[in-house]
């Protein structure tokens, strides 16, 4: 089975998917140590530009902390 090069559209979709996965892994952090740009091996300004182009807000990739709801056991 021959291996064909990836189309431009598929390449762009792969880049977007990888950026989203990196943002989730970095908890929405774009730059700095442990940021998505570092994980992807690109400059933070490049990633920020691409996110803007794709209409992605990095804050939406942050994991929400679950609030502990007091139970009857903890109230007594």
């Amino acid at each position: 089975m021959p291996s064909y090069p990836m189309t431009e559209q598929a390449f762009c979709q792969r880049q977007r998917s990888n950026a989203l996965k990196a943002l989730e892994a970095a908890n929405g952090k774009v730059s700095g140590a442990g940021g998505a740009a570092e994980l992807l091996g690109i400059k933070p300004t490049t990633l920020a530009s691409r996110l803007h182009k794709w209409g992605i807000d990095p804050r939406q990739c942050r994991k929400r902390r679950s609030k502990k709801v007091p139970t009857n056991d903890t109230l007594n």
Side-chain angles (χ1 to χ4, degrees), residues 18-76:
N18 286 343
L20 285 170
K21 289 176 186 175
L23 277 171
E24 289 174 8
N27 198 28
K29 185 177 178 182
V30 175
S31 60
E38 182 180 79
L39 295 174
L40 293 168
I42 61 175
K43 293 181 181 180
T45 52
T46 301
L47 180 57
S49 175
R50 289 178 184 172
L51 294 175
H52 180 76
K53 174 183 163 184
W54 295 326
I56 297 172
D57 182 358
R59 294 175 290 190
Q60 293 176 340
C61 296
R62 291 184 183 156
K63 295 173 189 162
R64 297 178 187 216
R65 294 182 184 174
S66 62
K67 294 182 181 179
K68 293 186 178 179
V69 179
T71 63
N72 288 337
D73 295 336
T74 59
L75 295 175
N76 296 329

Side-chain angles (χ1 to χ4, degrees), residues 2-21:
S3 175
Y4 296 101
M6 189 179 298
T7 65
E8 183 69 20
Q9 183 180 9
F11 180 72
C12 290
Q13 287 174 341
R14 177 76 54 93
Q15 280 187 317
R16 186 179 191 279
S17 176
N18 286 343
L20 285 170
K21 289 176 186 175

